[in-house]
Coordinates of all heavy atoms in Angstrom, one line a residue:
G321 N 134.6 85.9 56.4 CA 136.1 85.4 56.4 C 136.3 84.6 57.7 O 137.0 83.4 57.6
L322 N 135.9 85.0 58.8 CA 136.0 84.3 60.0 C 135.2 83.0 60.0 O 135.6 81.8 60.4 CB 135.5 85.0 61.4 CG 136.3 86.2 61.7 CD1 135.8 87.0 62.9 CD2 137.6 85.6 62.1
V323 N 134.0 83.0 59.4 CA 133.1 81.9 59.3 C 133.7 80.8 58.4 O 133.8 79.6 58.7 CB 131.7 82.2 58.8 CG1 130.9 81.1 58.5 CG2 130.9 83.0 59.8
Q324 N 134.3 81.2 57.2 CA 134.9 80.4 56.2 C 136.2 79.7 56.8 O 136.5 78.6 56.6 CB 135.3 81.2 55.0 CG 134.1 81.7 54.2 CD 134.3 82.4 53.0 OE1 135.6 82.8 52.8 NE2 133.5 82.8 52.1
S325 N 136.9 80.5 57.6 CA 138.2 80.0 58.3 C 137.7 79.0 59.3 O 138.4 77.9 59.3 CB 138.9 81.1 59.0 OG 139.3 82.1 58.1
G326 N 136.7 79.2 60.0 CA 136.2 78.2 60.9 C 135.7 76.9 60.3 O 136.1 75.8 60.7
L327 N 135.0 77.0 59.1 CA 134.6 75.8 58.3 C 135.8 75.0 57.9 O 135.8 73.9 57.8 CB 133.6 76.2 57.3 CG 132.3 76.9 57.8 CD1 131.5 77.3 56.5 CD2 131.5 75.7 58.4
A328 N 136.8 75.9 57.3 CA 138.0 75.2 56.7 C 138.7 74.4 57.7 O 139.3 73.4 57.4 CB 138.8 76.2 56.1
A329 N 138.9 75.0 59.0 CA 139.5 74.3 60.0 C 138.9 73.1 60.5 O 139.4 72.0 60.8 CB 139.7 75.2 61.2

Side-chain angles (χ1 to χ4, degrees):
L322 287 175
V323 172
Q324 290 176 357
S325 299
L327 292 176

